[in-house]
């Protein structure tokens, strides 16, 4: 995931080439005045949750096909996420859920945590499901998240035990993987290998079904002996009930591993393969530095033809064979992550959209769209500056493109 930072984010109109003219200041509208129209790209911007000293609004940015845009102010959401289906664009703040369609906005009252974990569009345009981080609960050693289900009938909210930082939609079932299992943690002691020999308080990963709810709660499915795992991507792929994701973690003896994991939600069994190059050397030896892997980016649609594709921190699109772990670079996007910038990738069936923000308050956000099959560059866009209008404490948290883009 992108590094947490106090970013100098600049946002403006989409241009086909980088321009030197000063962008016009755009009006800011409330959600009920927003129009999806021919929006081709959406951003969500919010203040850094670790440095903000007071409540601040968040902004949804709708970018039009002709280069125009609309800025939509919401009540505020830390680390917000978007989901887009045939029904429209789903977004939230801490008091409401919104679905912005071509015919206008639908609003649902839904008071909840202001820290979001993920958002998914349910199949067949049935609605949306999202996870929010509520934090430590009153129960001893408890940690709760909230699941919100938004359909045409409204939004329903319920609690689940654990911190499900990484989520996967398997058909119409939402599963979560927690590194903080809350009150579930004692149960893991009954499963062989689920205690670290170095730190007995270290928690293994917990796989649970979050939606549909089981008697109003989550359903714990299985444990994985992974401790001190690095940051996870929020949205990961699932095909035929098997979740696939990249993982760097320590085993029970504190030995490091860098693997691709396949976790079967039906049986609870998992398999993992070390990430290696074509000559069976650990992929870490081929990467420029550890941050190249730590700053990786991929999403729920990143699996194609038995391979998991991901954006490495150095800007290359990598491809990992899930069955063998063999990993190779496909092409260089030129948009990576560093101490001064952050790159994110959005995958669709046809395209890979790569977005880079630079933290200097001047450099435009850069967007490149690549043909997913060939790796050829399809378009390049510069999103130039409105830092003066929105301030310098905004981070680009989420990007969405229309279905089929």
């Amino acid at each position: 995931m992108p590094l947490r930072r106090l970013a100098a984010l600049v946002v403006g109109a989409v241009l086909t080439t980088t321009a030197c003219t000063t962008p016009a200041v755009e009006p800011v509208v409330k959600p009920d005045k927003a129009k999806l129209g021919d929006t081709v790209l959406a951003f969500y911007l919010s203040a850094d949750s670790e440095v903000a000293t007071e409540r601040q609004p968040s902004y949804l940015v709708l970018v039009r096909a002709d280069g125009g845009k609309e800025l939509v102010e919401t009540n505020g959401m830390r680390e917000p996420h978007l989901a887009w289906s045939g029904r429209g664009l789903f977004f939230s703040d801490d008091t409401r859920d919104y679905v912005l369609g071509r015919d206008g906005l639908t609003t649902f009252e839904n008071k909840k945590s202001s820290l979001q974990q993920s958002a998914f569009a349910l199949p067949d345009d049935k609605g949306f499901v999202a996870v929010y981080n509520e934090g430590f609960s009153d129960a001893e050693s408890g940690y709760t998240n909230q699941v919100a289900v938004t359909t045409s009938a409204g939004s329903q909210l319920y609690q689940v035990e654990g911190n499900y930082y990484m989520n996967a939609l398997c058909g119409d079932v939402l599963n979560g993987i927690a590194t903080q299992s809350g009150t579930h943690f004692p149960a893991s002691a009954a499963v062989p290998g689920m205690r670290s020999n170095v730190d007995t308080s270290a928690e293994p990963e917990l796989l649970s079904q979050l939606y549909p709810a089981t008697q109003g709660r989550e359903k714990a499915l299985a444990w994985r002996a992974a401790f001190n795992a690095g940051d996870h991507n929020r949205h990961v792929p699932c095909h035929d009930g098997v979740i696939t994701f990249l993982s760097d973690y320590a085993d029970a003896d504190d030995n490091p591993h860098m693997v691709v994991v396949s976790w079967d939600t039906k049986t609870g069994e998992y398999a993992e393969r070390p990430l290696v190059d074509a000559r069976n050397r650990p992929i870490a030896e081929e990467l420029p530095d550890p941050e190249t892997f730590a700053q990786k980016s991929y999403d729920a649609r990143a699996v194609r033809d038995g391979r998991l594709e991901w954006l490495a921190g150095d800007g290359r699109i990598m491809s990992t064979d899930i069955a063998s772990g063999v990993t190779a670079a496909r092409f260089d996007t030129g948009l990576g992550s560093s101490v001064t910038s952050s790159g994110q990738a959005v995958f669709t069936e046809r395209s890979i959209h790569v977005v880079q923000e630079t933290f200097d308050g001047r450099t435009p956000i850069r967007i490149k769209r690549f043909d997913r099959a060939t790796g050829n560059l399809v378009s390049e866009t510069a999103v130039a500056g409105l830092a003066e209008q929105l301030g310098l404490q905004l981070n680009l948290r989420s990007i969405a493109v229309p279905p089929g883009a």
Side-chain angles (χ1 to χ4, degrees):
M1 67 171 290
L3 291 177
R4 298 179 183 273
R5 71 279 175 194
L6 176 61
L9 180 65
V10 287
V11 178
V14 168
L15 309 174
T16 55
T17 58
T18 302
C20 297
T21 57
T22 301
V25 173
E26 296 290 340
V28 177
V29 302
K30 295 297 183 182
D32 61 347
K33 302 298 182 182
K35 297 185 182 300
L36 187 62
D38 61 350
T39 298
V40 296
L41 186 76
F43 298 46
Y44 214 151
L45 311 175
S46 69
D48 194 298
S49 61
E50 293 185 350
V51 300
T53 58
E54 58 185 25
R55 184 190 188 95
Q56 298 184 41
S58 297
Y59 298 90
L60 177 68
V61 182
L62 306 174
V63 182
R64 313 299 189 196
D66 64 0
K69 72 178 183 302
E70 192 164 53
L71 303 177
V72 184
E73 181 178 332
T74 73
N75 198 42
M77 179 64 69
R78 294 174 294 160
E79 303 187 21
H81 294 276
L82 305 172
W84 206 330
S85 75
R87 289 189 60 195
L89 178 65
F90 171 83
F91 60 103
S92 298
D93 59 26
D94 62 355
T95 60
R96 296 175 180 83
D97 296 329
Y98 306 92
V99 180
L100 183 60
R102 290 189 176 275
D103 297 328
L105 181 75
T106 304
T107 303
F108 303 98
E109 188 80 16
N110 188 15
K111 295 182 179 180
K112 54 191 175 297
S113 166
S114 63
L115 178 56
Q116 192 171 7
Q117 306 277 65
S118 63
F120 291 88
L122 292 170
D124 303 320
D125 297 339
K126 293 180 180 178
F128 304 89
V129 59
V131 179
Y132 303 86
N133 189 335
E134 192 171 28
F136 288 101
S137 63
D138 293 333
E140 185 176 356
S141 301
Y143 198 108
T144 55
N145 283 181
Q146 299 169 323
V147 176
V149 184
T150 302
T151 67
S152 57
S155 291
Q156 295 182 333
L157 186 73
Y158 57 90
Q159 287 184 324
V160 293
E161 180 67 24
N163 186 18
Y164 297 94
Y165 192 84
M166 182 164 57
N167 297 282
L169 188 66
C170 303
D172 57 0
V173 176
L174 179 67
N175 296 280
I177 297 174
T179 53
Q180 293 171 287
S181 52
T183 55
H184 289 292
F185 179 51
S188 65
V191 182
M194 296 302 154
R195 283 293 183 272
S196 169
N197 298 324
V198 178
D199 178 6
T200 56
S201 67
E203 299 190 33
E205 289 184 336
L206 170 65
L207 172 66
S208 294
Q209 178 181 311
L210 306 182
Y211 168 82
T214 303
Q215 297 180 341
R217 300 289 293 178
E218 75 285 353
K219 180 181 179 181
L221 301 175
W223 297 90
R224 173 174 172 254
F227 307 94
N228 299 319
D231 283 346
H232 296 299
N233 283 61
R234 300 298 183 92
H235 308 81
V236 296
C238 183
H239 293 271
D240 299 323
V242 178
I243 299 173
T244 302
F245 59 97
L246 301 174
S247 178
D248 55 328
Y249 71 97
D251 63 21
D253 295 317
D254 207 33
N255 298 310
H257 297 265
M258 188 178 292
V259 300
V260 58
V261 179
S262 299
W263 203 339
D264 194 318
T265 62
K266 299 172 184 176
T267 66
E269 297 179 355
Y270 64 87
E272 55 185 61
R273 301 285 184 271
L275 298 183
V276 296
D277 66 13
R279 289 184 283 181
N280 206 39
R281 298 176 302 179
I283 196 65
E285 297 180 6
E286 192 270 340
L287 300 175
D289 57 64
E291 289 301 309
T292 303
F293 186 77
Q295 296 174 354
K296 61 190 176 297
S297 174
Y298 60 101
D299 63 18
R301 292 177 288 186
V303 167
R304 184 173 67 101
D305 298 331
R307 306 185 70 87
L308 174 63
E309 296 178 324
W310 46 285
L311 175 69
D314 61 7
R316 292 180 296 171
I317 294 293
M318 311 294 287
S319 179
T320 297
D321 182 81
I322 298 168
S324 67
V326 174
T327 301
R330 287 196 59 200
F331 58 91
D332 191 347
T333 69
L335 302 179
S337 299
S338 67
V339 295
T340 60
S341 64
S342 179
Q344 299 183 45
V346 178
F347 292 81
T348 70
E349 183 177 343
R350 298 190 305 167
S351 305
I352 303 174
H353 298 76
V354 181
V355 181
Q356 183 189 60
E357 55 174 335
T358 302
F359 315 142
D360 61 6
R362 301 184 307 274
T363 304
I365 293 173
R366 299 177 63 193
I367 304 171
K368 291 184 179 181
R369 179 183 175 188
F370 298 90
D371 183 286
R372 189 165 182 180
T374 66
N376 294 334
L377 179 65
V378 176
S379 63
E380 185 170 0
T381 301
V383 182
L386 281 179
E388 300 84 357
Q389 181 175 356
L390 297 180
L392 301 179
Q393 292 185 323
L394 294 174
N395 297 321
L396 195 157
R397 296 294 188 180
S398 183
I399 303 159
V401 296

